[in-house]
Amino acid sequence: MLTVPKRQHHDGRCGKKREGKRQSATERLASTLVPIHPFEIKPLGNVYTASENIKVRSGGIPKANAIPRLSDLALKDFSSEWADKPFILTHPVRSWPVYKEWSTEHLLEKYGNIKFRAEAVDWPLKDYCDYMGDNQDESPLYLFDHSFVEKMGLSTGYREGGEYWIPTCFQEDLFDVLDNQRPDRQWLIIGPERGGSSFHKDPNATSAWNAVLRGSKYWIMFPSNPSSAPPPGIFVSEDQSEVTSPLSIAEWLLEFHAEARQTPGCMEGICEDGEVLHVPSGWWHLVVNLQPSIAITQNFVPRAHLADALAFLKDKPEQVSGFKSDIKDPYALFAGMLDARYPGLLKEGLAEAEKSRANKKRRWDEIVKADGEEGFGFGFGGGADEDVP
């Protein structure tokens, strides 16, 4: 029998550990609720599972919140118009061999004995799939492996011809100057219904794309800027290093989803199989599987967010992640190799970062003044846009 370790809830994505026994969201829902309409929950006393809660609350997305859907996008259009916006592309992934071939059965046949990372545990794929098909967890363990390309012997890149290739609009990645010294950038994601990630931002101020090969995923996202707090129910430490949130996605949906939908900047969407979603640098996002899912995700630094990446590496060295342990100064490494490859681009990026820093200081001064004159309270958000100088 497979023994699944208990999940610890502390800092980072999982939130701080809470003391004492607390009734789970599923238990509370099971005793009182049944879905009637995406915006209406009526107490009837019927059993109502976490899966049903997620499906109901992910439905009925308001038109104003809907993540735009496009068939495809050119790199020049991404750079000029879309680098700061979430969107879903419906076309590029459908030509990938992995989209046409991969299923749980196919992966088990070819890679069943290979170990992949599922949160803090390395499991043979066949054992994880046994767990995935038979778990009753409110927050299932999520297979999230950054070494899958090497483990599976896949051919990938920027051009057609491998098992998959990067969609055209995401092909500018300035971390490429680091070659084999770049931080972790690509992950295989497999998980059951209800599996997912609670609110977080992607590492090192990178942007990301997430391609669904099987299943479907619900996304809810918020921009980060100096005038906005984090998403409802999310609290961030002053140095931005710790995120405190409810203990499960189901609990957050139960307690905060309705408020979130009414919050300015909220964007939502369902990414179906064969589609790929863009996560802009610095955006808060929560994602949850509506069905058992197989996906590939990759992080990148487009030119539009070079200043964000430079500022993060320079100003938050203790929060930088994914680099090999022998790289002691990721900022100096990246700045040096960027300047050698693209003369002048580093200077442009640093100037933009300094301009952004000055804008934040001005905003902070305005907040302090308002606080003194009107008793105004400010809730700190996360990421580079929320820094206090």
Side-chain angles (χ1 to χ4, degrees), residues 67-73 82 86-92 276:
I67 294 172
R69 299 174 65 84
L70 311 168
S71 60
D72 205 350
L73 194 64
W82 290 93
F87 57 85
I88 293 171
L89 298 181
T90 61
H91 175 69
V276 58

Side-chain angles (χ1 to χ4, degrees), residues 3 104 145 195 282:
T3 301
T104 303
D145 192 286

